[in-house]
């Protein structure tokens, strides 16, 4: 029997990982990230769904669906929506499970507009600057919480 259901959301432009600004985001692709998470989830007996969208509404729809489908945790890299989307914040506020916010780069070392996160107002934890290993750390945290 599976223990836990996790949704991983990747925001705009993350489909370009590996080719877009590798000096900031690294050489790993989004497929690499998703494969890393799926392998870890399978080993832990956890169901995991990964979704990337460049469209705010699609991300919000996925959060709304997670409220009703048994999802217990959301790992989200809202990318540029981090700094702009009250709508994603509102959707996450309606979700009762755990929320972990992930950023590949250390946003606090970058432009000042990147220092503010609407999503952080809801997130139970925030991981930034660890590259794709930040996703692994987020899943570790979720799996530990689900085991409790």
């Amino acid at each position: 029997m599976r223990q836990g259901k996790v949704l991983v959301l990747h925001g705009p432009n993350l489909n370009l990982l590996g080719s877009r600004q590798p000096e900031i985001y690294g050489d790993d692709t989004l497929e690499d990230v998703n494969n890393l998470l799926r392998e870890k989830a399978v080993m832990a007996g956890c169901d995991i769904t990964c979704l990337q969208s460049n469209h705010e509404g699609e991300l919000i729809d996925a959060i709304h669906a997670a409220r009703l489908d048994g999802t217990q945790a959301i790992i989200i890299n809202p990318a540029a929506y981090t700094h702009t989307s009250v709508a994603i914040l509102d959707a996450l506020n309606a979700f009762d499970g755990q929320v972990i916010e992930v950023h590949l780069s250390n946003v606090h070392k970058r432009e000042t507009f990147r220092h503010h996160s609407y999503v952080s107002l809801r997130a139970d934890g925030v991981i930034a600057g660890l590259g794709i290993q930040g996703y692994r750390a987020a899943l570790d945290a979720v799996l530990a919480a689900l085991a409790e």
Side-chain angles (χ1 to χ4, degrees):
M1 179 172 166
R2 292 287 191 194
Q3 64 166 358
K5 187 170 182 178
V6 178
L7 174 63
V8 179
L9 295 175
H10 307 284
N13 300 311
L14 290 170
N15 56 303
L16 301 176
L17 279 181
S19 62
R20 174 183 170 240
Q21 296 177 287
E23 68 281 3
I24 295 174
Y25 301 110
D27 295 320
D28 295 299
T29 66
L30 189 60
E31 184 177 349
D32 294 333
V33 173
N34 291 338
N35 287 338
L36 173 111
L37 294 173
R38 286 185 188 115
E39 286 175 20
K40 188 165 192 58
V42 165
M43 290 177 57
C46 178
D47 287 325
I48 193 164
T49 301
C50 301
L51 170 73
Q52 186 278 328
S53 182
N54 294 316
H55 305 281
E56 185 178 33
E58 188 173 358
L59 297 169
I60 291 167
D61 288 344
I63 296 165
H64 289 179
R67 295 178 65 227
L68 305 173
D69 70 4
T71 296
Q72 295 157 296
I74 295 174
I75 296 170
I76 183 170
N77 181 343
Y81 290 137
T82 303
H83 324 292
T84 63
S85 185
V86 174
I88 289 176
L89 169 63
D90 287 347
L92 289 169
N93 279 334
F95 176 74
D96 290 330
Q98 185 178 27
V99 175
I100 306 291
E101 179 181 357
V102 175
H103 298 283
L104 295 163
S105 68
N106 180 353
V107 293
H108 301 289
K109 256 180 107 171
R110 298 184 63 196
E111 304 93 337
T112 55
F113 74 87
R114 296 185 193 276
H115 299 178
H116 179 265
S117 168
Y118 284 104
V119 172
S120 290
L121 296 171
R122 167 58 180 91
D124 299 297
V126 179
I127 300 167
L130 298 179
I132 70 168
Q133 295 308 316
Y135 284 97
R136 181 188 302 242
L139 186 55
D140 285 340
V142 164
L143 293 172
L146 291 175
E148 291 178 0

